Amino acid sequence: MARRVVVALLGPVAWAPPGIDPVAWRAALAEDVVDLLATLQEVETAIAATPQDRSLAEAVVWPGMAVHEVPEATGTAVLAALTGYDQAAVVAADAPDLPGLTVGKLLRPLTTRPVAVAPAEGPGPGLLGVASRLPVPGWLPEVDLDVALPADVRRAAPQPGDVAVTAAWRRMRGPADLATLDPAVEGWEATRALLSGHR
């Protein structure tokens, strides 16, 4: 059975709701994503962070969960830092209500294709995550989850079909994303508490 890992990448968070401390907001988003990953079955889970974000990673990590230091907060840097795995997925740590099923869909195509990407919902660029067989194919371009598009990754592949595009999900990057959070859906406890003024 393939050894798989899913990594939450602590990238920059450029927006916070009015009146909420951006540092607390970023920490709440990351905590919720890490909490979700910790519930996943049949995969190992980890956090990736640049040296300056190491303290945030230590604040939200679960016992036994690895923290990988990377030189830059990109999906490619994380994939390059992973050893001992057959498959890996990197997801942005600003999607607090991310369903486990969406993460599973990002990994599933790797049985037949070398790379998969999940778009970020919304009008702008960016990906929710990237997954790859390891070692990473030499043709995989730099994947910055904040600006990359599925088309960019597909263009770099020997065949466009080498890159699967899986289900999209929203990241908290503006007021429109915030409005889509559903209070009836379980999870995203840290973000929920911060928005309700209890944190």
Side-chain angles (χ1 to χ4, degrees), residues 53-104:
D53 284 333
R54 182 78 192 209
S55 59
L56 173 57
E58 298 293 354
V60 299
V61 71
W62 279 51
M65 191 180 277
V67 175
H68 299 281
E69 266 194 27
V70 290
E72 53 191 352
T74 66
T76 339
V78 178
L79 292 171
L82 300 171
T83 57
Y85 297 99
D86 303 302
Q87 302 173 359
V90 183
V91 296
D94 58 3
D97 62 341
L98 176 65
L101 195 61
T102 301
V103 179

Side-chain angles (χ1 to χ4, degrees), residues 9-15 25 29 33 73 90-98 118-130 143-148 168-181:
L9 172 58
L10 302 181
V13 173
W15 175 87
W25 173 246
L29 297 177
V33 173
V90 183
V91 296
D94 58 3
D97 62 341
L98 176 65
E121 279 182 0
L127 300 173
L128 166 72
V130 58
V143 179
D144 181 334
L145 297 182
D146 288 337
V147 296
W169 194 259
R170 58 185 166 266
R171 296 170 56 188
M172 293 295 112
R173 299 193 289 179
D177 301 308
L178 185 65
T180 62
L181 284 172

Side-chain angles (χ1 to χ4, degrees), residues 134-196:
L134 299 181
V136 178
W139 52 260
L140 186 68
E142 187 71 15
V143 179
D144 181 334
L145 297 182
D146 288 337
V147 296
L149 292 167
D152 300 335
V153 185
R154 283 195 143 170
R155 255 194 307 274
Q159 305 286 333
D162 289 340
V163 179
V165 180
T166 66
W169 194 259
R170 58 185 166 266
R171 296 170 56 188
M172 293 295 112
R173 299 193 289 179
D177 301 308
L178 185 65
T180 62
L181 284 172
D182 184 353
V185 174
E186 286 187 15
W188 60 282
E189 300 300 336
T191 303
R192 191 191 309 259
L194 188 60
L195 289 170
S196 64

